[in-house]
Amino acid sequence: MRGQLSLAIGIVFVAIAGIVYTFAAGNEPLLGLDLQGGVSVVLEPEPNPDGSEVSEDILDQAIAVIRNRVDGLGVREPEITRQGLTVLVQIPGVDDQQRALDLVGQTAELRFRPVLMRGGPGTDFTPGAALCPGDGDEPPDFSDGEPTPEASAAECMVADGTDGIRYLLGPAPELIENEGTTDRLTGLAVEDASARFAGQWQVSLVMRGGSPGIDDFNELASQCFAVTITCPTASIAIEIDGVVESAPSVNAPTFDRSQISITGSFSEGEAKDLALVLRFGSLPVELTPQESRTVSSTLGEDALDAGIAAGVIGLALVSIYLLAYYRLLGLVAIASLGVSGALLWTMIAWLGESQGLALTLAGVTGLIVSVGVSVDSNVVYFEHLKEDVRGGRTVRSAVERAFPIAYSTIVKADVASLIAAVVLYFLTVGQVKGFALFLGLATVLDLVATYFFMGPVIRLMARRDAMTERPRRYGIPAGEVSA
């Protein structure tokens, strides 16, 4: 008796504590693209020039570059995954959807730019604007101290560095063999790059011969080494997507194309990352959008409202059915749904905040389907109980005997649902995966609520004479109850 009471009080306490923690911590479910609006695009790589397929390593590198770009939009928890030889990008909650679509598929260029000035975040580079060519007689305005990642290769730009420093960068130099054109010194001039340890970690660079290549790099290096007005800091910045990956100082006027080393206080990881950027600084492959989808925030809100309405209506109808058919036992079943629902809400909100797990419309569908799974558990127990009463057992004896048998049946049925959920989760992607995850999570919590709440509470009710004296109130046929 005391043990059953402890189990019931314990699980209710945990459920209430979970809800209190969720509200106190400000945790909320993270809504997916279809519930808050956003963009989704499937990108397919173009084949290599020799006709061969793009390797998985290249696609993984492309995903890393795209993720950096999306992070720059300030988007919370984008989903960027590889599906075979395509890349699926889902960006929920983004305001400028067209900009996001343009950004993820853009094949950006790595550029070598002279460093004009350095400073901390928010630095006013207005004095340095005199070093930059502007439109007409007006120099560019950098007074707001904000980065200008949209600047073209021919313009000065303000960029943040991965080292936490803000830079004012000059235009990327024009190629020697293409003077008068718009071609600039980019990552195409790099033939190879690698990290190596020579007393300290450094990055070795191999430039291509001629132009674009070592000739253009040496032209810029000589200006920086001489500390001319075009390179007053004697440093060359390696910039991609408006971010300065490194800004090493130049210590020689010219270099052999295979004898260029970038030194600094690199860790092994930093040196390898920089080498990777130099090799694949741009998107390492051209990606073509195959399918794009935009969901407006209004449509997302409509979908969320529809999902909530479906859930409320479903719960109301199920509650009416339980109360009409099982009376007070139905009330216990509804309370059990409340306990498992509180635990489920706590976990969904926590996973959204800590793990970035997004609740999608498919996930809502999984949760609604799980209500049916939970009701099945109640029905199995109650029908076992009624069968035992019809068989001549007392209510108290039937309750004690029916629960272990019914729970065994419930576990076997729920395991079947869990197997389906696990298979769907690991063999599918996107919406179906979300459906499987939330269905599986709700099924596990149903088992917990049934064992720790419903079973003990009905055992406690059976200890009271009311269940024997007024069995109809519990949905048990009165004429079949033994004294």
Side-chain angles (χ1 to χ4, degrees), residues 146-171:
E146 294 298 319
T148 56
E150 70 282 356
S152 69
E155 298 174 311
C156 288
M157 70 178 301
V158 177
D160 287 329
T162 55
D163 52 5
I165 298 175
R166 182 159 290 178
Y167 295 88
L168 175 62
L169 307 178

Side-chain angles (χ1 to χ4, degrees), residues 383-395 397-398 401 476-477 479-483:
E383 290 303 317
H384 267 286
L385 174 59
K386 292 169 69 174
E387 284 296 324
D388 282 355
V389 169
R390 291 191 185 99
R393 291 181 177 275
T394 64
V395 172
S397 171
R401 180 179 181 277
I476 300 173
E480 298 166 353
V481 174
S482 301

